[in-house]
Amino acid sequence: MLNPDNLPVYLESDTRVRFEDCDPFGHLNNGRYVDYFLNAREDQLRDNYHLDIYGHTKETGKAWVVASTQIAYLQEAKFNEMVTVRTCLRWFTAFDLLMEGMMLDKATGSVKSVVWMRFVYIDARKGEKATHSPELTTLFGTVAADGEGRPTLYFEERVKEVRKAQVPKV
């Protein structure tokens, strides 16, 4: 059982930029950033919150699907470089979530990219939006950086904030 008072808001994991994910210049291909963020978030949810999204889908028939993605590329990520992927749940509603991710230079902590991904909760059996269970709502309320409801902050404003400030180590 998870102790809701002890759950981190920001989750981190390290990964290496792989050759097959790079363009001819040795930079992480812009289309592959999303995969790095999704894979890191999936592992982080399982390891930190004991939330296996695939197990959840199998058990409930409900899943989160990507509804929109916004990404800013601030510095290139290079072949064989170690990067830290930091993610958090920014906000949530009864049926959707906004995940923020940052890819950081592992050595310096400088921000390489920022992503916002909005997920909609779907009942796959019915093919329609679903409402988060009370257990999920409690978890989200504990770990969401901005809490419940959609704040008025725009992605571009958030990117400006990140550009101005060095992201502290968690």
Side-chain angles (χ1 to χ4, degrees):
M1 183 77 167
L2 292 175
N3 177 356
D5 298 328
N6 211 16
L7 296 178
V9 172
Y10 298 95
L11 307 176
E12 287 188 352
S13 52
D14 296 332
T15 192
R16 184 175 304 280
V17 176
R18 301 293 174 187
F19 173 79
E20 65 268 12
D21 298 329
C22 292
D23 63 21
F25 302 107
H27 301 151
L28 182 59
N29 182 290
N30 63 340
R32 298 293 292 163
Y33 278 80
V34 169
D35 294 332
Y36 278 66
F37 284 113
L38 285 173
N39 289 333
R41 185 66 177 172
E42 175 190 346
D43 293 344
Q44 293 165 356
L45 290 173
R46 185 186 56 252
D47 296 345
N48 292 274
Y49 302 154
H50 305 292
L51 178 57
D52 177 347
I53 58 176
Y54 295 105
H56 176 82
T57 301
K58 189 174 178 180
E59 181 181 314
T60 66
K62 298 174 183 171
W64 294 271
V65 297
V66 177
S68 65
T69 302
Q70 294 175 281
I71 190 165
Y73 306 98
L74 307 179
Q75 294 178 13
E76 70 276 2
K78 299 174 189 156
F79 162 65
N80 212 30
E81 180 179 10
M82 289 299 295
V83 294
T84 299
V85 178
R86 178 182 297 167
T87 70
C88 73
L89 175 63
R90 294 276 324 165
W91 55 257
F92 69 99
T93 69
F95 56 85
D96 65 351
L97 310 168
L98 185 85
M99 184 271 291
E100 177 179 89
M102 289 188 208
M103 184 177 288
L104 309 171
D105 182 305
K106 182 165 174 53
T108 67
S110 63
V111 181
K112 294 184 169 291
S113 63
V114 180
V115 67
W116 274 8
M117 298 179 80
R118 188 173 69 83
F119 296 86
V120 176
Y121 196 49
I122 300 290
D123 185 324
R125 297 172 188 151
K126 296 178 182 176
E128 58 189 37
K129 281 185 185 178
T131 302
H132 293 125
S133 69
E135 295 81 14
L136 288 172
T137 300
T138 298
L139 171 63
F140 300 155
T142 301
V143 300
D146 291 336
E148 189 171 1
R150 296 179 183 209
T152 58
L153 181 71
Y154 289 102
F155 178 70
E156 292 79 10
E157 294 169 331
R158 178 66 176 142
V159 172
K160 285 180 187 176
E161 287 177 359
V162 170
R163 280 184 197 252
K164 288 180 184 176
Q166 181 71 13
V167 176
K169 288 275 188 189
V170 175

